[in-house]
Each structure stands twice: as structure tokens, then as C-alpha cells.
Amino acid sequence: MIKHYIFFTRNTLPQPRADLVQVANCANAAANLGYSTVLTYLGQDARLRPTDWMKPFSPQLPDRALKQFYNLHDQLKVAALPIPKLCSRLKTKLTHPSTIVSKYYIPLHLRPVTQIVHTRDWNFVKAAIRCGILAIYEHHHHEDKQFEPEIVHHPLFQIAVTVADPVRESMIQHGMPSEKIIKLHNGFNRSFLVRRPDCWIQSRGSVACSLGQTAMGDARFLGNQAARQNLQP
């Protein structure tokens, strides 16, 4: 059975946000390097159909709108995890999308088909590791949260990626081992800037740019050298 390199965001797609552009381009780059990569996100219009719950993880080629929005290539597959609107409206811990993904989708549906996950969602990282899945974590901003020692020191926790020294120091102060942190410049796909200058105008204060990088050259996930040796193209 082929196991996937899962890039996960707890958001719906597409949206013209800098962090989502980065996630989409990283997943696209991984797929272009030959890994079975699936960009996984929350479904927008999920309904309570039996098939949604029986087989919620169904990787497929991105539709035309999503493909054009992020300039995705044919090697990448996507999967929208269904989250019923009623769950979002109830606003309880049990029905929160993070709970549904961590307690239901990961252990029952993602674990058998996933080799490694790559995400900014710390709850997703913790759930993956507890299910025996390799994990890479991205952390780009200051957050006042403590990293659990049983997670950051776990052999399945491969590496944490950040983009700035102050954030790196903050992560160390909150329990992240320094040897598990790498700092990489945050590149982006230039074609997105050409097509969506409004996104750049809104996001330039938080995006560290490298204009020489393209979608392929922007393969920031190559910074996970420790994890890469565990991947099978």
C-alpha cells in the first residue's frame, strides 16, 4: 500500500492568505519531487451523508478552481475532510473541527495510509505522533503555549521549522529542543503574486520573500533532512 506525505491545514481552501499559499506551494513542491503527496484541508460544504463518514479521506486531483488559484501541478492530490456545518455552529469541544480530525479522522482513516504529516496545527501533530505517524511541525509566529515534552522528545517528531530567530528562541523557551528546530527562509510561488497582487498587499508584513524561488525551488520541506530519509518516493 502506498502511504502519503500529508500536508494539513485546518482551513477551507482556496483562500488568498499568505499561510495557505505557503502550505499549498510546499505540498506542490513535495509532489513534484516524486512523493505521493496529499494537501488535506477542511471541506466547505460537507453534508451528513453516510459516504462522508465511511470514506472521508479520498485523495483526488484538485478541481480547476483550486488548481488555478494556487497554480498547483498534476502530481499533487488533495483531500477535503468533511466537517458538517452543524458541528461548527455548536461550538463545543466535542464538535470542534480539531477534535473531529484528531479523534476520528487521524486514528481511523489517515493512520493506515499516512507515512508522514507536515502542518502548522500542533493538535494535529500530537494526534499523529500518538497514532505512530512521523510529523514535521511549522511554527512561524509567537504563541504563548508550552510544547509537551512527551511529544517534542518523541522519536516520531522529526523537526520543527520556523522562519525567524526570535520565534526560534521563543519556541526553545516554551519547551522545544533546540536541536529539533531549523530556520528556513519562507519562499513563495511568483506566479501567485502576478495573479493575486491583492494577497501580497494584504500579507507583505508577515511574509519573508525570496523572489528567486519558484514553486519547485520553494521546496522548503527539504529542510526536514531527518524526516526525508524515512520517506519513500
Side-chain angles (χ1 to χ4, degrees):
M1 177 189 293
I2 296 177
K3 291 195 172 184
H4 305 296
Y5 188 167
I6 300 293
F7 282 79
F8 174 76
T9 177
R10 200 198 313 161
N11 293 278
T12 58
L13 297 180
Q15 296 184 59
R17 281 172 35 185
D19 58 327
L20 301 181
V21 173
Q22 185 259 348
V23 170
N25 279 317
C26 285
N28 195 54
N32 283 337
L33 287 182
Y35 297 109
S36 179
T37 307
V38 183
L39 175 59
T40 307
Y41 51 95
L42 303 185
Q44 298 186 64
D45 300 310
R47 296 185 293 273
L48 283 172
R49 298 177 300 183
T51 53
D52 288 336
W53 297 104
M54 293 174 61
K55 194 177 180 181
F57 182 71
S58 300
Q60 56 192 307
L61 293 175
D63 61 32
R64 184 178 180 84
L66 185 61
K67 186 176 181 179
Q68 291 184 342
F69 196 91
Y70 294 120
N71 194 35
L72 303 178
H73 299 160
D74 292 336
Q75 291 82 356
L76 178 67
K77 292 187 177 180
V78 299
L81 300 178
I83 303 293
K85 291 182 178 180
L86 179 61
C87 291
S88 300
R89 292 172 182 169
L90 291 176
K91 298 183 182 300
T92 66
K93 184 176 181 180
L94 186 63
T95 60
H96 194 279
S98 180
T99 302
I100 296 174
V101 170
S102 299
K103 302 296 185 182
Y104 176 65
Y105 287 140
I106 293 178
L108 296 182
H109 298 282
L110 296 183
R111 176 164 56 179
V113 297
T114 302
Q115 190 164 3
I116 188 167
V117 300
H118 190 143
T119 184
R120 298 189 186 200
D121 191 316
W122 185 242
N123 287 338
F124 193 89
V125 167
K126 292 190 292 184
I129 288 176
R130 288 165 180 161
C131 286
I133 303 172
L134 296 163
I136 298 169
Y137 176 56
E138 295 232 13
H139 188 91
H140 293 195
H141 305 283
H142 290 287
E143 290 186 42
D144 189 19
K145 68 180 178 186
Q146 198 70 22
F147 296 108
E148 294 86 341
E150 68 273 16
I151 298 298
V152 298
H153 292 288
H154 199 288
L156 291 175
F157 182 69
Q158 299 294 288
I159 207 161
V161 184
T162 190
V163 295
D165 286 326
V167 179
R168 181 181 183 276
E169 293 305 315
S170 175
M171 294 171 71
I172 293 172
Q173 293 171 12
H174 287 82
M176 184 67 70
S178 60
E179 67 272 14
K180 285 201 171 181
I181 307 174
I182 60 171
K183 185 188 75 171
L184 292 175
H185 293 296
N186 195 4
F188 70 102
N189 189 333
R190 286 182 296 177
S191 63
F192 186 86
L193 171 60
V194 173
R195 292 181 294 107
R196 293 300 302 266
D198 57 315
C199 179
W200 166 242
I201 292 172
Q202 295 170 9
S203 308
R204 60 184 175 182
S206 61
V207 180
C209 293
S210 178
L211 292 174
Q213 294 176 312
T214 63
M216 191 64 185
D218 184 36
R220 296 179 57 257
F221 73 97
L222 285 176
N224 62 6
Q225 295 297 331
R228 216 179 151 225
Q229 63 185 333
N230 295 305
L231 287 172
Q232 299 297 322

